[in-house]
Amino acid sequence: MTNETTRSITVHSIAETETLGKRLAELLPDGSVVALTGTLGAGKTRFVQAFAEASGVSPGTVASPTFVLLHEYDGDRPIYHFDAYRLSTAEEFRRLGPDDYFEGTGVSFVEWADKFPDVLPRERLEIRIIVQNNETRRFVLSAVGSKYEPIIAQLARAFARGDISY
């Protein structure tokens, strides 16, 4: 890993979580990999849903990939949604062929990414969602490598200004 920049953004409602996901959709380039972590019910899938909807995927299409392990969504660009929760080993995750997706033109999301960090690309955006109460979440965004540093900075500035409407 080269550089790592970390910023926190606190959201106070599901609507603000959705706004954060939609804003990220505007900023992330094709070929991006987002490693998501957080407890059950933290909002990982809802965040991906908002991102996907802002990327042209029909509302209601994105579901938790827990039982399927990988969903592919077609919108303005492909979205690949992995879930490592039920996997026991890195080899099981590798059998899903993540490198083919990570090196493609779509955006890859990996829920429970902390289970197998060695399988993830060296450069990625890590988002840890911390539940603070029923509605409030803290999103800790870390740029692993330099590619995602400007994106994190832009998101943090927008939310610091209160510019969170979509």
Side-chain angles (χ1 to χ4, degrees), residues 14 17-18 21-22 34-53 57 60-67 69 71 73 79 81-85 109-112 127 129 137 139:
I14 291 172
T17 295
E18 292 169 351
K22 290 175 181 179
V34 181
L36 294 169
T37 60
T39 59
L40 286 170
K44 296 179 296 294
T45 299
R46 185 62 208 122
F47 181 75
V48 175
Q49 289 170 335
F51 182 98
E53 289 170 15
V57 175
T61 303
V62 175
S64 176
T66 299
F67 294 103
L69 305 178
H71 285 290
Y73 300 107
I79 296 174
H81 189 192
F82 294 85
D83 191 318
Y85 182 72
F109 287 89
V110 181
E111 292 193 29
W112 303 97
I127 301 176
I129 305 172
R137 304 290 189 264
F139 285 74

Side-chain angles (χ1 to χ4, degrees), residues 14-166:
I14 291 172
E16 288 184 8
T17 295
E18 292 169 351
T19 297
L20 182 59
K22 290 175 181 179
R23 286 288 172 98
L24 185 62
E26 294 172 355
L27 299 172
L28 271 186
D30 292 349
S32 293
V33 176
V34 181
L36 294 169
T37 60
T39 59
L40 286 170
K44 296 179 296 294
T45 299
R46 185 62 208 122
F47 181 75
V48 175
Q49 289 170 335
F51 182 98
E53 289 170 15
S55 298
V57 175
S58 297
T61 303
V62 175
S64 176
T66 299
F67 294 103
V68 178
L69 305 178
L70 170 63
H71 285 290
E72 298 182 31
Y73 300 107
D74 291 320
D76 301 331
R77 60 184 166 182
I79 296 174
Y80 311 116
H81 189 192
F82 294 85
D83 191 318
Y85 182 72
R86 297 200 181 278
L87 299 176
S88 300
T89 67
E91 185 54 37
E92 286 179 309
F93 187 71
R94 280 189 186 94
R95 277 188 241 139
L96 296 174
D99 291 337
D100 293 336
Y101 295 96
F102 297 162
E103 295 168 7
T105 59
V107 176
S108 298
F109 287 89
V110 181
E111 292 193 29
W112 303 97
D114 52 335
K115 288 185 74 172
F116 312 114
D118 294 341
V119 180
L120 300 174
R122 290 176 51 86
E123 195 152 30
R124 62 189 176 272
L125 174 59
E126 295 184 347
I127 301 176
R128 184 167 42 109
I129 305 172
I130 301 166
V131 176
Q132 297 191 310
N133 64 39
N134 210 24
E135 294 288 321
T136 304
R137 304 290 189 264
R138 185 163 50 104
F139 285 74
V140 180
L141 297 91
S142 299
V144 180
S146 60
K147 175 180 178 179
Y148 299 101
E149 289 176 358
I151 294 163
I152 290 174
Q154 287 178 17
L155 282 172
R157 278 194 302 274
F159 276 74
R161 288 192 311 260
D163 180 20
I164 56 173
S165 60
Y166 195 84

